[in-house]
Amino acid sequence: MFSLVKNSWTNVLLCIQMTVVASDSISPCSITGYSANCKGLNLDQVPPGLPASLESLDLSFNKLTAITNKDLAHLTQLRSLNLEFNNISLIEDEAFASNALLKELSVFNNSLTQVPSKLLEPLTRLRSLEMSNNLFASAALGEVFSTLRELESLSMGGPLLLNLSREDFLPLRWTPLKKFAIKSASSLQHYDPGTLSVLQTDQMWFDVALDQKPEILPLMLKDLAGKTFAVLRFRNLFEFKYYTGSQDLFKGLRDIAARQLVFFRGKFNENLLRMALLNVQGSAVKDLGLVAIDFARSPDFVNDGLESSVTDLVLDNLLLQDISNPDILRFDWRFTWLSRVVRLTIRNVNFNYVPCDSWEEMRNAETVTIAGNRLTDEALYNQRCDYRSSMPKLRVLNANANELASLRALSALTAEWTALRELDVSHNKLGSTRESCTWKQNVTKLVMHHNMVDQVTFGCLPTTLLYLDMSYSNLDLLDMDYFRQATQLQVLLLSGNKIKFIPSGWESPNLLRLAVDGNSFGLIGEGSFSSMPRLVNLTAGNNPYHCTCDLHAFIQDTLGKGRLSITDWPGNYKCYHPEPLLEMTVAKYLPGRLVCDVRLVIAVSVVTTAAVAFLLVGLCHVFNVPWYLKAMYLILRAQYRARQEQGEAGRVYAYHAFISYSHSDAEWVRDHLLPCLENCDPPYRLCIHERDFQPGKWIIDNIIENIEDSRKVIFVLSRNFVNSEWCNYELYFAHQRAIGKSFNDVILVVKETIDPESLPSKYCKLKKMLSTKTYLEWPSEPKRQAFFWAQMRGVLGKATPTGEKAGEGGGGQPTDRVSMVELPLEVEDGKGEGEEDSTAAPAGQRQVVPPGANNDTEPESLLLHKVISYQAIPIEVV
């Protein structure tokens, strides 16, 4: 039992151990391809389980305190390692022994106390090394730095660095750098002349405060004399107090060939600024930046009214940015120092009022940016100023991120600036009011995204534009009149608005690029941009597209021809309608050709309709549908009249038989049929049209009524019968009467031999009767005619009394209802009694015993014609 318990605990501990190992192997970092992002995860050690194939690893903004020899040993392919903004105080000497491919290493802003020379020995391919903002007490570099032949960028130093010695940077004397940055304590205490003279670099960045030892600056500049720099940058030159001395600290600038000079942060008064500018105007500096400096006039500054001493400051670019005090623009109460600046940028300097003389002093400026200064229309355009001689060279005016609301004020301000071509007024409040504007014919580019425009704003835009950006401006409708006038427009950006539809007939003959992405329209088609013949670049994604045939045709036509490039295709094009296609990319919407090809749909519809029409016409012709419809109508009308005239309480037949015959067979009916049947005892009452039809009634009504009042219907068939239209009606009505009953009421008498197959298609009823009923054939031999009449009387049955119709004459007497019982046939034959017929009845033929014959005598064999079955086909009655 104890062994079982022991084994169980062993298994549990094993499972726990495996779980811990598995959890440790799961890295918390975001790994994409060969890069791992572990930034800001509060890690206190290098996470295990990182793939050995990693080439880039970011462990910045964590809580690492040490890097051991084992942490990165398996990352042999590592090229970039970012360890900045941790609290690393120890990196073991062999920590990078397996990372010989490392090219970028940053340990910026950590707690290292010594320059890690030993651990850099394997990193001979290092190009960028950021070691600044550590707790180095000395800036001395070990000889290992002389082996880093590929090093391009190096930053070092920290807040505890008080001294810079001549030997500190000697290992770099043969290494040409692209950037070198040195950071010292809040106040550098000692500098050995010649310390910086050994450096070769394109960019020199100083993060050195000289509050207590300002005289060090001339020594540094002297060591840089004769050198060429792309950028010379000073950060926090005076960090805590303003310089009030009289020594010219920037005198050495004249001997340095620096293209760009930047002062970042630090305290400046008018004296220090004038000192810097006077030396810059005699130097090679062409780009000057004053960024985030703390400017303030000295308490004892007095405006002496004399001309400015800075009159010859020739600059290609002057940047004044993120300065809280706008007085820096006229630090000596004048704007003269701006007079020879070509490109002037005043951004976020609280320059919320533009005096009239400022425009005059900026007369040589070609580009002026006064962005982010909370300028209003009244502050920018002062109606008391004379702008006629100001800004003669100005080509670009950037007034974005202010509080401008009037396009009319802008048009008035720039009316005299004939060289002006580009105007940027984005991130303002323009377009909210209806205005009348007058623009000169010179402005060709207008950038006004992120405003509040509407359709009426187009009425206040210059029509000479080549480039117009109205993106993200709450625009919902376009003004087609403006585009008809702005015929030179080449670029139109309308992204991120609320445009609900693309107008048809949108004319812009010279438009090359159009951006309408992120709007509210869902329908575009082949004709949407057909009036833009030069359009080659379209951005129209992120709209709620209706996936229709028009959209599919537009995409296929555009991609097929290749003339128009859709820049954001296909990722930004998704279906929003119909609902089953929601979120499906438009590229996957592939309707069939029959669905979308209108011409094909019309062709198929026309062909199908024509085929159906021809088929129906053919069927109507073959089956004589019109004739049947007319006949049915006549039957229903007659029956309706009959029901209206008399009830249907009891049925009394007026005739034993209705005779249907052709007029050409009337003589045979009168001479043979009527005498033989009406003159027998008892006589049969027969109905023929010549005698018994009621005068004044419709023929159809007479036919239907007398057929209904007759117990049987006798059809005298001949070629003449086939040619009679009325006979066909009588035949049809008799057939309709027999629906739902047997065909015993119909008697077919074939007067002349007729081949059923030769009958016209309209006699389908007759064909069917000939194929399904036994018919009587009139014999041409006189001796067989007596047998024919016996057959006829047998089929008609006994001549019981009939009910005579009121107001009608004719043979027979009116009596009770006709009996429906059929009687046996009587045979009258020319043979002697008891004489046997030489012709025996074939097998399968019906034998009938005529009435009156001796029951002991073998009955005559009556030949019944064979049945022929086929389909009935009606025709139209003419």
Side-chain angles (χ1 to χ4, degrees):
M1 178 176 180
F2 288 107
S3 62
L4 290 175
V5 173
K6 183 178 180 180
N7 291 335
S8 299
W9 278 107
T10 301
N11 292 334
V12 170
L13 292 174
L14 181 60
C15 290
I16 293 174
Q17 183 179 3
M18 293 177 64
T19 303
V20 170
V21 172
S23 63
D24 286 344
S25 65
I26 300 176
S27 174
C29 306
S30 173
I31 299 176
T32 304
Y34 298 103
S35 299
N37 184 2
C38 310
K39 182 178 180 179
L41 299 180
N42 290 322
L43 302 175
D44 56 7
Q45 63 179 358
V46 177
L50 294 172
S53 60
L54 283 183
E55 296 182 1
S56 176
L57 176 59
D58 186 352
L59 288 165
S60 61
F61 294 92
N62 282 291
K63 298 179 179 179
L64 304 179
T65 58
I67 305 296
T68 67
N69 293 335
K70 296 181 180 180
D71 287 340
L72 307 172
H74 67 293
L75 302 178
T76 58
Q77 303 299 314
L78 203 60
R79 266 78 167 176
S80 175
L81 177 61
N82 188 351
L83 297 171
E84 63 188 30
F85 289 97
N86 280 282
N87 193 26
I88 299 172
S89 59
L90 173 64
I91 302 179
E92 294 183 359
D93 290 343
E94 303 297 326
F96 302 141
S98 301
N99 311 122
L101 300 179
L102 202 61
K103 294 182 178 180
E104 298 176 0
L105 174 61
S106 176
V107 289
F108 176 82
N109 207 89
N110 277 279
S111 302
L112 297 175
T113 57
Q114 292 182 349
V115 177
S117 299
K118 178 65 175 177
L119 64 88
L120 297 177
E121 290 179 359
L123 308 182
T124 56
R125 300 187 181 184
L126 204 60
R127 293 183 179 177
S128 175
L129 177 58
E130 303 292 333
M131 297 189 300
S132 182
N133 243 37
N134 278 278
L135 304 180
F136 303 138
S138 170
L141 302 179
E143 283 301 320
V144 67
F145 282 88
S146 65
T147 65
L148 304 179
R149 297 299 186 183
E150 298 183 18
L151 192 63
E152 296 177 348
S153 176
L154 174 63
S155 70
M156 54 98 53
L160 302 183
L161 186 62
L162 299 176
N163 304 300
L164 290 176
S165 301
R166 187 180 183 89
E167 295 80 14
D168 288 345
F169 307 134
L170 282 177
L172 297 176
R173 61 186 178 276
W174 306 116
T175 305
L177 300 174
K178 290 184 178 179
K179 174 185 173 184
F180 178 82
I182 180 67
K183 177 178 174 60
S184 71
S186 297
S187 182
L188 186 66
Q189 298 298 314
H190 177 76
Y191 175 82
D192 282 345
T195 300
L196 298 176
S197 61
V198 298
L199 295 176
Q200 304 176 58
T201 181
D202 290 337
Q203 299 185 33
M204 177 67 79
W205 288 32
F206 291 100
D207 188 355
V208 177
L210 300 175
D211 296 70
Q212 298 180 15
K213 298 287 184 176
E215 64 273 10
I216 292 178
L217 181 58
L219 298 176
M220 289 181 171
L221 296 179
K222 184 178 180 180
D223 284 346
L224 301 179
K227 295 183 180 292
T228 300
F229 299 100
V231 178
L232 183 60
R233 182 178 183 268
F234 293 92
R235 182 182 188 271
N236 279 329
L237 192 58
F238 290 90
E239 187 173 7
F240 298 109
K241 64 179 183 180
Y242 295 95
Y243 177 69
T244 57
S246 59
Q247 182 184 3
D248 187 354
L249 301 180
F250 298 103
K251 185 177 181 180
L253 286 176
R254 298 173 182 266
D255 301 321
I256 301 173
R259 170 71 187 183
Q260 183 183 93
L261 175 62
V262 178
F263 294 102
F264 179 67
R265 292 189 176 177
K267 292 183 177 296
F268 277 76
N269 55 21
E270 80 287 348
N271 185 42
L272 185 63
L273 182 57
R274 181 188 297 108
M275 193 179 297
L277 295 178
L278 287 173
N279 283 281
V280 168
Q281 74 177 4
S283 70
V285 174
K286 294 301 179 184
D287 300 336
L288 175 62
L290 302 173
V291 181
I293 65 173
D294 182 6
F295 175 80
R297 288 196 181 97
S298 302
D300 56 352
F301 175 78
V302 177
N303 181 13
D304 55 12
L306 300 177
E307 294 293 331
S308 173
S309 56
V310 185
T311 59
D312 196 25
L313 182 63
V314 180
L315 295 173
D316 291 339
N317 294 281
L318 173 59
L319 171 63
L320 304 174
Q321 180 174 316
D322 301 328
I323 302 173
S324 59
N325 189 352
D327 287 345
I328 192 173
L329 291 168
R330 47 179 181 176
F331 67 94
D332 58 355
W333 291 104
R334 291 161 185 82
F335 292 96
T336 309
W337 68 295
L338 307 177
S339 61
R340 302 190 66 178
V341 177
V342 178
R343 288 177 288 273
L344 173 63
T345 299
I346 306 171
R347 180 178 285 113
N348 192 26
V349 186
N350 289 319
F351 185 43
N352 51 21
Y353 178 74
V354 186
C356 295
D357 60 333
S358 65
W359 297 113
E360 296 175 2
E361 293 292 352
M362 294 186 291
R363 56 185 175 273
N364 287 307
E366 297 180 7
T367 300
V368 173
T369 299
I370 45 176
N373 290 292
R374 295 184 295 176
L375 280 168
T376 62
D377 299 320
E378 295 77 13
L380 181 63
Y381 173 59
N382 189 341
Q383 298 186 21
R384 292 174 295 179
C385 298
D386 185 2
Y387 298 99
R388 287 177 293 180
S389 59
S390 64
M391 313 302 288
K393 298 180 180 181
L394 185 65
R395 295 180 58 84
V396 179
L397 175 62
N398 184 344
N400 72 74
N402 285 289
E403 297 181 4
L404 304 176
S406 174
L407 283 170
R408 186 193 63 79
L410 284 172
S411 66
L413 173 68
T414 61
E416 302 299 329
W417 298 347
T418 57
L420 185 66
R421 295 293 181 269
E422 301 178 13
L423 180 61
D424 186 346
V425 287
S426 57
H427 292 278
N428 278 283
K429 301 177 181 179
L430 296 167
S432 58
T433 57
R434 185 185 296 272
E435 297 178 298
S436 177
C437 304
T438 302
W439 295 88
K440 295 295 182 179
Q441 301 297 311
N442 55 326
V443 178
T444 59
K445 182 176 181 179
L446 177 60
V447 179
M448 54 182 302
H449 57 78
H450 291 90
N451 279 278
M452 296 295 292
V453 305
D454 53 23
Q455 189 178 27
V456 300
T457 306
F458 286 95
C460 201
L461 299 181
T463 58
T464 57
L465 295 178
L466 302 177
Y467 183 106
L468 174 61
D469 185 356
M470 299 179 71
S471 303
Y472 304 98
S473 296
N474 207 40
L475 179 65
D476 58 353
L477 292 174
L478 300 174
D479 185 358
M480 292 298 101
D481 289 337
Y482 172 78
F483 293 106
R484 280 189 282 270
Q485 298 178 51
T487 57
Q488 300 303 313
L489 190 63
Q490 296 179 2
V491 177
L492 177 61
L493 307 180
L494 299 171
S495 304
N497 283 292
K498 299 179 180 179
I499 300 172
K500 298 179 177 64
F501 64 94
I502 300 297
S504 58
W506 186 358
E507 298 179 9
S508 191
N510 290 296
L511 195 65
L512 302 175
R513 178 187 173 195
L514 173 64
V516 287
D517 54 306
N519 279 276
S520 301
F521 63 86
L523 298 175
I524 56 175
E526 292 182 90
S528 298
F529 310 107
S530 59
S531 297
M532 303 175 184
R534 300 185 62 192
L535 187 66
V536 295
N537 189 298
L538 174 66
T539 305
N542 295 319
N543 281 291
Y545 281 112
H546 296 245
C547 283
T548 62
C549 290
D550 287 340
L551 177 61
H552 176 72
F554 169 75
I555 296 297
Q556 294 302 311
D557 180 71
T558 301
L559 298 179
K561 292 181 178 178
R563 179 185 63 85
L564 178 60
S565 173
I566 306 179
T567 58
D568 54 347
W569 174 265
N572 293 336
Y573 291 76
K574 294 184 178 180
C575 299
Y576 282 77
H577 300 280
E579 187 174 350
L581 303 180
L582 184 64
E583 293 300 321
M584 183 181 77
T585 57
V586 176
K588 296 181 179 179
Y589 174 65
L590 301 172
R593 182 182 177 188
L594 185 59
V595 175
C596 291
D597 194 332
V598 176
R599 292 171 296 182
L600 184 59
V601 170
I602 294 175
V604 171
S605 300
V606 170
V607 171
T608 303
T609 303
V612 172
F614 282 124
L615 180 61
L616 291 176
V617 170
L619 291 175
C620 290
H621 176 73
V622 172
F623 292 104
N624 202 17
V625 173
W627 188 91
Y628 278 106
L629 291 176
K630 181 177 180 182
M632 183 62 70
Y633 165 74
L634 296 174
I635 290 175
L636 294 175
R637 189 181 66 176
Q639 289 178 347
Y640 174 77
R641 289 182 178 178
R643 282 195 296 271
Q644 293 293 323
E645 293 175 358
Q646 62 184 8
E648 294 289 340
R651 167 63 68 181
V652 177
Y653 290 104
Y655 303 102
H656 289 97
F658 177 88
I659 313 298
S660 176
Y661 59 93
S662 169
H663 180 72
S664 300
D665 298 323
E667 182 177 353
W668 182 86
V669 171
R670 289 193 300 268
D671 293 346
H672 294 83
L673 184 62
L674 292 181
C676 289
L677 295 179
E678 290 186 341
N679 295 333
C680 63
D681 188 19
Y684 291 97
R685 180 173 175 80
L686 305 177
C687 176
I688 61 174
H689 65 272
E690 296 175 351
R691 179 186 69 192
D692 300 307
F693 276 14
Q694 183 177 345
K697 269 191 177 183
W698 283 25
I699 296 177
I700 294 297
D701 290 346
N702 269 313
I703 292 174
I704 294 174
E705 183 178 337
N706 285 291
I707 287 178
E708 290 291 330
D709 285 341
S710 300
R711 175 183 166 189
K712 304 279 186 179
V713 179
I714 300 173
F715 290 96
V716 180
L717 303 179
S718 66
R719 295 184 183 86
N720 297 318
F721 183 95
V722 171
N723 296 328
S724 173
E725 192 69 35
W726 291 111
C727 291
N728 194 28
Y729 271 111
E730 292 167 354
L731 180 65
Y732 177 76
F733 296 145
H735 179 267
Q736 292 300 316
R737 167 183 166 178
I739 292 177
K741 307 175 184 178
S742 66
F743 279 98
N744 292 333
D745 293 345
V746 177
I747 302 172
L748 301 180
V749 177
V750 180
K751 180 173 173 287
E752 298 175 357
T753 302
I754 300 175
D755 182 8
E757 296 300 328
S758 66
L759 293 176
S761 59
K762 70 177 182 177
Y763 285 100
C764 57
K765 302 299 181 185
L766 179 57
K767 288 184 179 182
K768 186 173 183 180
M769 289 183 183
L770 288 173
S771 64
T772 57
K773 283 186 63 65
T774 301
Y775 55 84
L776 300 177
E777 187 172 1
W778 172 251
S780 58
E781 301 87 349
K783 65 178 182 178
R784 294 178 58 87
Q785 293 176 1
F787 182 68
F788 169 83
W789 296 118
Q791 288 179 302
M792 176 66 75
R793 286 192 295 272
V795 175
L796 284 174
K798 188 175 180 180
T800 56
T802 60
E804 186 176 1
K805 297 175 68 173
E808 291 187 8
Q813 305 297 324
T815 61
D816 295 334
R817 182 176 301 181
V818 177
S819 172
M820 300 302 294
V821 178
E822 295 197 20
L823 302 176
L825 298 175
E826 295 182 1
V827 180
E828 294 182 5
D829 201 339
K831 296 183 173 69
E833 187 175 338
E835 188 176 352
E836 201 174 273
D837 195 347
S838 60
T839 306
Q845 290 183 344
R846 178 181 176 188
Q847 294 187 352
V848 181
V849 180
N854 191 342
N855 290 337
D856 296 332
T857 306
E858 185 178 331
E860 283 283 7
S861 173
L862 301 181
L863 182 62
L864 305 181
H865 292 259
K866 193 165 183 67
V867 176
I868 305 174
S869 299
Y870 55 93
Q871 179 66 39
I873 304 177
I875 64 170
E876 182 181 4
V877 178
V878 181

